[in-house]
Amino acid sequence: MSLKRTVLLAVLAAGLTLAGCRSAVLHGLSEQETNHIVAVLQEQGIMATKEPDDSEEGTWKIVVARRDVPQVWPVLKQYRLPSSPGRRFRDVFGKSKLVVAPIEEKALFLEALQGELGHTLESITGVVSARVHVAVPESDLSGQTTSKPKASVMLEFHPDASGASPVRDDEVQRLVANGVTDLKPSNVAVVMRPILIQRSQQAYDFVAFGPLVVAAPSVVTLKILTGGVVLVVVLLGVILYLNGRVMSELRFELQAAQRQARALQRPAKPIA
């Protein structure tokens, strides 16, 4: 087997070894949500990274060590990740161009409005999920309504160190009421549900590997990668050395052949 083929096989084996140690656990995520999930997993001691998933759609995937896959799902379940927000105005009215009946248009508008309000609440740091339901009374033939709009909010959050929520009930009421016509804050019912996170005991220690500081479980992978790189460099050096010797021998043989050819081309000396 030639040395070049040996080098290629060594590189391929190293790549397959490293690839086999990693597994993708989530696909088709936005970059913002991917960054959030990676941060949560790393906070829980799971060394997660993001990689491009679909270049056309601009989506990302999350990759973890294969041994950490069983620990990923309980963490994602506790944090309600990935999130599934309600449809917003751009989702409801952005693609469909069909003419709909007034009653259907009103239902779509309420769905989009609820999605927008929920998205706004979820943008608050510490809020895990928010579901908003708005009830707008129907008008009679004279255009009058016998009741007022009402709304209900179900909000899940991570409490801070003191156990408090990141937002108060009255703040949620004002925010929702300001987004709905004729809705009073007093007509917004708010249910706040704390989510207590059980911290993972798998927090990794960081160790020094030469000039680098890496997580302890990554040392083995880094050693394999470093060893593969060193092996490739050594094999390339051997190949260059042998190629140099072959070129020198070929150059010497070429010079000898040129001298022999010139000797044959010289005219014979006349015999006295």
Side-chain angles (χ1 to χ4, degrees), residues 13-235:
L16 291 176
T17 301
L18 293 175
C21 297
R22 310 285 290 173
S23 296
V25 292
L26 290 174
H27 295 267
L29 302 173
S30 66
E31 186 172 10
Q32 180 180 2
E33 188 169 29
T34 302
N35 293 337
H36 176 55
I37 295 177
V38 168
V40 169
L41 293 177
Q42 290 183 353
E43 183 185 20
Q44 292 293 310
I46 299 173
M47 300 306 296
T49 58
K50 69 175 185 178
E51 296 179 3
D53 187 24
D54 189 331
S55 57
E56 295 184 357
E57 297 292 334
T59 57
W60 296 78
K61 62 182 178 181
I62 295 178
V63 180
V64 301
R66 181 171 295 176
R67 62 177 172 272
D68 290 337
V69 172
Q71 285 76 37
V72 169
W73 305 116
V75 173
L76 295 180
K77 184 178 180 180
Q78 288 187 72
Y79 280 84
R80 306 297 193 268
L81 294 172
S83 61
S84 55
R87 295 200 301 169
R88 302 167 63 183
F89 280 103
R90 64 186 182 189
D91 303 317
V92 175
F93 298 103
K95 298 178 181 180
S96 178
K97 301 298 182 183
L98 299 178
V99 178
V100 296
I103 187 172
E104 184 179 359
E105 183 179 6
K106 180 180 179 180
L108 291 174
F109 178 84
L110 281 178
E111 180 186 3
L113 178 60
Q114 293 168 167
E116 289 288 350
L117 293 171
H119 179 76
T120 301
L121 290 171
E122 289 177 353
S123 66
I124 300 174
T125 303
V127 174
V128 178
S129 67
R131 293 294 179 266
V132 180
H133 300 279
V134 178
V136 178
E138 296 290 341
S139 303
D140 56 20
L141 296 178
S142 63
Q144 302 295 324
T145 56
T146 57
S147 59
K148 298 294 183 180
K150 296 181 180 180
S152 60
V153 179
M154 175 66 179
L155 191 143
E156 295 180 317
F157 65 93
H158 293 315
D160 58 18
S162 63
S165 64
V167 60
R168 300 192 308 272
D169 290 14
D170 60 318
E171 293 175 333
V172 176
Q173 290 176 321
R174 288 199 303 271
L175 188 149
V176 174
N178 289 334
V180 181
T181 304
D182 296 332
L183 177 61
K184 296 181 179 181
S186 58
N187 287 334
V188 179
V190 179
V191 176
M192 308 279 281
R193 181 172 178 267
I195 298 178
L196 301 178
I197 300 299
Q198 297 179 355
R199 298 295 176 182
S200 173
Q201 299 300 321
Q202 195 184 357
Y204 293 148
D205 295 327
F206 289 87
V207 297
F209 183 77
L212 304 176
V213 177
V214 297
S218 302
V219 173
V220 176
T221 302
L222 191 57
K223 286 182 178 179
I224 295 174
L225 179 60
T226 304
V229 172
V230 171
L231 178 62
V232 170
V233 171
V234 171
L235 292 177

